[in-house]
């Protein structure tokens, strides 16, 4: 059996993709990927290949899952539903998913707590955090007033700095349960972020 034939055996009959997670089956062993199953049970709740019933929880086809796990097949990105159309072999796909423009990342603003698509960071900040302050240099020197020091919980505005190489950084200072925190988020993947370091100093002007 060649790669194309194996792919046709393994692919989900609904989305025609090789499943990246669980492979589920109905009472008559018709397979379906977990993503499509979740969509099906939300509406028809029956197998699309024969109106068969699903057990609760549905049965898993671990034999096919093992084949998918070990076969060198062309796979779709797990962020396909968000808009990614990349199809690569497993090793290359794992590298791609770490830098996929459609991957979910936390909002740079610590008080937001939303997960957003990486490529939508700027539009999200523009719509949800219009008070962001853009820095003209990589130095941030906030003055912490006395009333801020007395608070147990406080968020300062989000800052943005763009380097001469086009890299975007989001420094922020927060106070949680009386403790101060300072961190910087970078609009990049983890490998790119490891190339930078941050120096932080605190001074008492009194």
């Amino acid at each position: 059996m060649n790669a194309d034939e194996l792919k046709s055996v393994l692919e989900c009959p609904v989305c025609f993709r090789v499943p990246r997670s669980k492979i589920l089956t109905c009472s008559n062993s018709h397979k379906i990927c977990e993503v499509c199953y979740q969509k099906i049970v939300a509406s028809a709740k029956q197998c699309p290949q024969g109106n068969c019933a699903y057990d609760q929880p549905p049965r898993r086809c671990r034999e096919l899952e093992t084949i998918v796990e070990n076969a060198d097949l062309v796979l779709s990105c797990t962020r396909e539903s968000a808009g990614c159309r990349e199809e690569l072999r497993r090793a290359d796909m794992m590298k791609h998913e770490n830098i996929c423009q459609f991957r979910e990342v936390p909002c740079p603003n610590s008080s937001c707590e939303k997960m957003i698509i990486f490529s939508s960071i700027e539009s999200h900040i523009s719509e949800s955090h219009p008070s962001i302050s853009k820095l003209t240099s990589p130095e941030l020197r906030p003055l912490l007033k006395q009333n801020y020091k007395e608070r147990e919980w406080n968020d300062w505005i989000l800052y943005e700095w763009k380097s001469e190489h086009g890299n975007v950084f989001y420094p922020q200072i927060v106070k949680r349960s009386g403790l101060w925190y300072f961190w910087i988020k970078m609009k990049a993947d983890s490998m790119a972020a490891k190339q930078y370091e941050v120096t932080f100093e605190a001074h008492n002007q009194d």
Side-chain angles (χ1 to χ4, degrees), residues 5 49 168:
E5 291 172 334
Q49 291 185 272
V168 182

Side-chain angles (χ1 to χ4, degrees), residues 112-191:
C112 182
E113 299 183 351
K114 287 184 178 180
M115 297 297 292
I116 56 178
I117 294 177
F118 181 81
S119 59
S120 301
I121 290 178
E122 284 88 353
S123 59
H124 170 77
I125 290 177
S126 177
E127 295 172 4
S128 302
H129 313 291
S131 62
I132 186 172
S133 178
K134 297 190 177 183
L135 303 173
T136 57
S137 76
E139 292 189 4
L140 173 61
R141 298 188 178 187
L143 178 61
L144 307 180
K145 298 180 180 180
Q146 185 61 37
N147 61 327
Y148 291 159
K149 297 178 183 178
E150 296 172 352
R151 297 175 183 172
E152 288 292 303
W153 187 286
N154 197 86
D155 286 351
W156 277 260
I157 63 172
L158 182 67
Y159 294 92
E160 176 188 290
W161 178 66
K162 182 177 291 187
S163 73
E164 60 183 2
H165 302 296
N167 295 316
V168 182
F169 301 84
Y170 300 99
Q172 189 173 29
I173 303 173
V174 301
K175 192 176 185 182
R176 298 287 185 268
S177 300
L179 298 176
W180 299 92
Y181 297 90
F182 173 73
W183 56 72
I184 296 180
K185 296 179 181 178
M186 179 183 179
K187 188 189 175 187
D189 59 87
S190 58
M191 293 302 295

Side-chain angles (χ1 to χ4, degrees), residues 74-94:
V74 173
L75 303 173
S76 300
C77 178
T78 55
R79 300 302 300 162
E80 180 186 12
S81 60
C84 184
R85 294 293 179 262
E86 285 287 345
E87 291 188 338
L88 301 166
R89 297 196 179 276
R90 182 176 298 279
D92 295 327
M93 181 56 73
M94 292 177 66

Side-chain angles (χ1 to χ4, degrees), residues 39-100:
K39 295 177 181 178
I40 292 296
V41 296
S43 54
K45 298 183 179 181
Q46 290 181 315
C47 172
Q49 291 185 272
N51 293 326
C52 320
Y54 288 105
D55 293 335
Q56 296 300 324
R59 307 173 192 179
R60 288 178 63 180
C61 188
R62 297 183 185 274
E63 293 84 0
L64 292 183
E65 290 177 10
T66 300
I67 294 175
V68 172
E69 183 68 26
N70 293 284
D72 186 24
L73 297 171
V74 173
L75 303 173
S76 300
C77 178
T78 55
R79 300 302 300 162
E80 180 186 12
S81 60
C84 184
R85 294 293 179 262
E86 285 287 345
E87 291 188 338
L88 301 166
R89 297 196 179 276
R90 182 176 298 279
D92 295 327
M93 181 56 73
M94 292 177 66
K95 296 176 183 177
H96 160 76
E97 289 178 345
N98 288 329
I99 60 174
C100 179

